[in-house]
Amino acid sequence: MLRVVPITLAIILCFSNLGFLNLGGHAGEQEILDLQVPRSHLTQDKNVQAAPINELYNFEDLTENPVQENSAAIVQREENILRLYWDIVPNAVKYEVLIGGATLSAYTNGIEIIVEDVGEKFQVNALSLDGIVLENKIPIREIDSNPTSPRTTTEFDKMNYPPIYPVYSWIPVSGADHYEIELIKDDKIIRRYFTESNSHEDNFDLYDKTPVLDEGNYFWRVRAFTSDAQPLTNWSEKTESNSFEVKHQIRFCALGDSITHGGGSISVPPSTAIYNWETYCAIPVKNLGRSGDTTAELLARFENDVLPFRPEVLFIMAGVNDYRGNILGWESVENLILLKEKCEQNGIKPVFLTPTPLNPAQIQRLNFIDMPPADWQEHQKFICDWIRSQEFYIDVNEKLTDGEGNLKENLSADGLHPDFEGKKIIGEAVAAWLDKYLNLK
């Protein structure tokens, strides 16, 4: 028996040094009072915004409506249309398309262009936020002349599990005023969405704010309309990349905000695999993230969004939308404590990840996300200190933080969302924790 003790202690110390376990015991509500609590922000912004996402749509619940086939009664476009599609280039914020002496911009990995000749020569380059060329002459995967259906860009086939809040994305259709999107389960239409009229060609994704919970086989499709509500295209085709299967009894799940939900480089939505940290975790993890969530909102949707999957382990990463707004660190920790209690009451092991830092200089430079309060680091530290006092935690914050306590500039284009290198750091940290956890079971 005496020989076992040093081995066990060594294992525990190893976990502690890796940041997976903390030997200081559990932190309860009383421990909040023992910490140095920032009681108010130095500045208050009553109109703080969540991460910008396309939220303009109308919703219809069409549960059990039969699927209708493509209709040939579409508006005939008089111009020649050339559609290009290419793979996402990491860190690219936009793409420049050189064709016929003109330079066009695309914020998705594809574009529809009006041309005189569909055989026109072209070149596509990937650009960073500063306009630096990241890749010249990107290989084109698909070239379509005068397409009659939209090209979807979701990558559900590259994800181990579909996200609970899917994002539907497509290449903008030339001349489209708005779009209709349908979610179909087991050959029955269950949801229909209409985007708002938009004269710009930046209407290319829709965040589903209703969770997809029921088991079954799903796919989604989209079609474009003119301003007078006439179909400009047929429905998009069903493919592996826009289809997915929902299952329950998922062993490992992740609850969080946009950092967990995915997306990056300002313009790339969570439907792209390289900007999801779950992609870099060798062991499959179900994505229960929802963009814009605060700790209170995660707490409010725990029963509805977590319990149907009955995970053994729940990774919880939250707080960034609290301290970049008006929510104080001690309030965030109170919500995390309640989340922890809900997990334990339901036989779920909670594993907390330290929340990601911000880069105010980057945020101010872009000026489309509200600036955080001047003392956001104090509230972030309070949350991180509590998390580091837990039995099970993963410290990703320190790996993403520069010498001044900000999000490393090279890891984020917008100063808020880590891009693919940052997501890789998070995913690999979770994978390392899971490897240790599974080896000890």
Side-chain angles (χ1 to χ4, degrees), residues 335-406:
N335 292 328
L336 294 178
I337 288 172
L338 292 173
L339 271 172
K340 175 183 174 182
E341 291 174 353
K342 285 180 179 288
C343 285
E344 293 172 343
Q345 289 165 4
N346 287 279
I348 300 170
K349 186 186 298 297
V351 179
F352 292 93
L353 280 71
T354 49
T356 53
L358 305 170
N359 190 309
Q362 283 286 90
I363 292 173
Q364 186 174 40
R365 175 188 175 195
L366 295 178
N367 198 32
F368 67 82
I369 302 172
D370 285 349
M371 286 289 290
D375 61 342
W376 67 268
Q377 287 186 359
E378 294 180 43
H379 299 272
Q380 177 197 240
K381 182 179 183 301
F382 187 81
I383 298 170
C384 288
D385 286 347
W386 179 84
I387 288 175
R388 290 168 183 144
S389 73
Q390 298 307 293
E391 181 180 7
F392 298 106
Y393 74 91
I394 303 173
D395 197 344
V396 298
N397 180 278
E398 63 179 12
K399 298 178 181 179
L400 303 172
T401 303
D402 65 18
E404 297 180 354
N406 299 320

Side-chain angles (χ1 to χ4, degrees), residues 263-298:
S265 289
I266 299 176
S267 57
V268 186
S271 50
T272 304
I274 68 167
Y275 290 98
N276 293 0
W277 69 249
E278 295 86 358
T279 299
Y280 305 101
C281 185
I283 299 164
V285 176
K286 173 82 173 179
N287 186 339
L288 307 183
R290 187 174 70 176
S291 293
D293 269 7
T294 62
T295 55
E297 288 168 322
L298 294 180

